[in-house]
């Protein structure tokens, strides 16, 4: 049997401050009705001034470690930390070493992976490869973003969609026939779409000119409609191609946990893959798009609410800036999951 990375811990965290659609509508020209019908989002969580992505990552990481420790004898010390984020605490250095140190894991290799909303799947693939290669024995993989810090306060579209949050998994090296084994990955990118999801200023290109950013260039910008189309196309294609690779049909997966960007995107992916509403995990109504935190947060919510159970065949699929996309497949294991704070109450899928 071939070696594989096994999921053995899961945790998630959102900051306690909630911003409802109604609150946004008091400040911006929008409405609860528009946001709910066009995106499916009802509220999002945001950090307080002075807080940062690492604070979310540490909380989610702590819960994932607690979950893995509760799993008992298979737990060994984590010797690798991979943090997926596109809102690091600082442009330099990476945020992962600070997170590792605050979790009491100082000294282990720790680095960031930046693939925006696909970040968690990319980070999972990197960590899994290091575990199967023998470079590490047990990894903490975290997806965390605080997009509220890079949104234009006057942009009603992005303010409606994004929220802050984090999720984390512990992986250990094991065999491909164990429950929780990551069975395969499908990853891709298309740099021709780099401008569709971007923060124009603040990087080396703008800094090397020595000129201040043009007004607005410091904020996140997105071509919403084009991104919508690309997200549906690439998540569907990637999930399908991975399902073929591991010998499942996409429609045969018990649960598809896709990046939570817009409920209309999730429905369209479901249609492309021939999924019923029950197969598609949705938690964006309460958290919005939490970028790299999205997939592990959705997993933790689905487990906490009973929507995801041991033995389920699960396809994860993400799409984000870059452009990037990626999918992973696994048989869901028996896990002690520390429920996310204020988890979603499982509702009939919309
Ligand atoms: N409240 C009210 N009106 C809004 C609004 C808001 N929060 N946001 C946008 N609008 C307006 C637009 O200004 C536009 O008005 P106009 O017709 O007068 O120009 C109108 O609504 C329609 O805009 P459009 O962009 O065509 O709407 P849409 O149905 O495509 O929905 C998104 C916009 C952003 C919700 C949708 O395109 C989307 O979800 N895209 C993908 C986003 C995403 O996933 N990003 C993360 C990458 S993984």
């Amino acid at each position: 049997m071939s070696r594989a990375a096994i999921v053995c811990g899961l945790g998630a965290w959102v900051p306690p401050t909630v911003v409802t659609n109604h609150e946004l509508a008091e400040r911006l020209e929008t409405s609860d009705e528009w946001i709910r019908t066009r995106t499916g989002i009802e509220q999002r969580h945001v950090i307080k001034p002075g807080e940062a992505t690492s604070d979310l990552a540490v909380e989610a990481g702590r819960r994932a470690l607690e979950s893995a420790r509760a799993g008992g004898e298979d737990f060994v010390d984590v010797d690798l930390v991979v943090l997926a984020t596109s809102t690091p605490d600082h442009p330099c250095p990476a945020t992962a070493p600070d997170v590792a140190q605050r979790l009491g894991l100082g000294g282990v290799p720790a680095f960031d992976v930046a693939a925006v909303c696909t970040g968690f799947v990319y980070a999972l693939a990197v960590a899994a490869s290091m575990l199967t290669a023998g470079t590490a024995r047990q990894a903490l993989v975290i997806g965390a973003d605080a997009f509220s810090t890079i949104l234009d306060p006057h942009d009603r579209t992005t303010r409606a969609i994004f929220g802050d949050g984090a999720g984390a998994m512990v992986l250990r090296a094991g065999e491909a026939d164990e429950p929780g084994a990551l069975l395969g990955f499908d990853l891709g990118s298309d740099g021709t779409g780099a401008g569709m999801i971007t923060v124009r200023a603040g990087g080396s290109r703008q800094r090397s000119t020595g000129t201040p950013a043009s007004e607005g260039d410091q904020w996140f910008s997105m071509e919403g409609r084009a991104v919508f189309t690309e997200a549906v196309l690439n998540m569907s294609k990637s999930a399908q191609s991975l399902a073929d690779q591991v010998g499942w049909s996409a429609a045969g997966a018990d649960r598809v946990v896709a990046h939570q960007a817009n409920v209309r995107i999730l429905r369209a992916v479901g249609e492309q893959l021939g999924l019923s509403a029950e197969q598609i995990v949705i938690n964006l109504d309460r958290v919005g798009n939490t970028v790299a935190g999205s997939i592990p947060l959705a997993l933790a919510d689905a487990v906490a609410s009973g929507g995801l159970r041991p033995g389920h065949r699960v396809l994860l699929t993400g799409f984000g800036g870059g452009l990037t996309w990626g999918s992973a497949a696994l048989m869901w294991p028996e896990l002690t999951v520390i429920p996310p704070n204020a988890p979603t109450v499982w509702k009939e899928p919309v």
Side-chain angles (χ1 to χ4, degrees):
M1 189 36 76
S2 55
R3 285 175 70 72
I6 317 292
V7 176
C8 61
L10 177 70
W13 173 259
V14 284
T17 308
V18 171
V19 179
T20 64
N21 292 348
H22 293 287
E23 285 170 289
L24 272 188
E26 283 167 17
R27 287 173 247 157
L28 297 165
E29 205 179 309
T30 186
S31 66
D32 171 57
E33 208 259 333
W34 192 95
I35 301 171
R36 260 189 305 107
T37 53
R38 303 308 292 165
T39 71
I41 297 165
E42 294 173 13
Q43 61 170 48
R44 69 287 299 139
H45 293 246
V46 295
I47 59 169
K48 292 201 190 91
E51 291 177 336
T53 297
S54 63
D55 302 323
L56 304 173
V58 166
E59 290 291 349
R62 200 188 314 280
R63 281 164 175 73
L65 290 170
E66 229 178 284
S67 155
R69 285 195 185 104
E73 71 228 38
D74 288 332
F75 186 81
V76 292
D77 284 340
V78 162
D79 55 0
L80 171 68
V81 174
V82 186
L83 171 65
T85 187
S86 297
T87 47
D89 287 11
H90 309 282
C92 170
T95 303
D98 176 47
V99 171
Q101 175 267 323
R102 284 162 62 189
L103 287 169
L105 305 169
V108 305
F111 57 91
D112 292 1
V113 166
V116 201
C117 301
T118 321
F120 188 75
V121 179
Y122 266 54
L124 215 50
V126 170
S129 306
M130 290 178 73
L131 291 172
T132 51
T135 318
R137 287 187 305 155
Q138 187 143 314
L140 175 63
V141 182
I142 310 175
D145 270 300
F147 251 51
S148 67
T149 61
I150 60 167
L151 299 180
D152 180 344
H154 305 295
D155 182 353
R156 62 182 178 177
T157 307
T158 54
R159 290 281 311 277
I161 294 173
F162 291 95
D164 301 338
M169 263 183 189
V170 178
L171 305 180
R172 65 173 171 80
E175 305 293 330
D177 61 352
E178 294 182 57
L182 288 161
L183 302 171
F185 290 94
D186 175 83
L187 305 173
S189 78
D190 174 10
T192 64
M196 281 188 203
I197 295 173
T198 185
V199 179
R200 290 196 177 80
S204 60
R205 187 170 298 285
Q206 179 249 325
R207 281 162 196 263
S208 69
T209 64
T211 48
S214 306
E215 186 43 39
D217 277 3
Q218 74 273 34
W219 302 124
F220 174 83
S221 77
M222 177 183 73
E223 294 171 25
R225 276 203 175 180
V227 169
F228 189 112
T229 311
E230 292 288 334
V232 173
L233 178 75
N234 288 299
M235 284 200 282
S236 307
K237 262 178 38 185
S238 176
Q240 186 61 63
S241 125
L242 179 61
D244 293 345
Q245 184 192 313
V246 299
W248 304 352
S249 71
D254 297 295
R255 294 290 180 266
V256 173
V257 184
H259 170 56
Q260 306 283 306
N262 184 321
V263 76
R264 289 157 51 220
I265 293 178
L266 296 179
R267 283 199 202 114
V269 168
E271 235 167 74
Q272 294 285 319
L273 297 178
L275 307 172
S276 67
E278 195 202 14
Q279 288 166 285
I280 308 168
V281 166
I282 297 175
N283 78 334
L284 54 70
D285 49 331
R286 85 161 181 112
V287 295
N289 179 349
T290 54
V291 191
S294 170
I295 288 177
L297 248 169
L299 282 168
D301 266 351
V303 172
S305 60
L308 175 57
R309 295 183 290 280
H312 273 163
R313 291 199 285 191
V314 183
L315 279 177
L316 313 179
T317 186
F319 172 83
L323 302 172
T324 53
W325 54 87
S327 302
L330 76 156
M331 193 80 79
W332 195 255
E334 190 86 56
L335 284 186
T336 308
V337 176
I338 318 301
N341 47 332
T344 299
V345 176
W346 185 253
K347 286 191 260 185
E348 279 308 303
V350 270

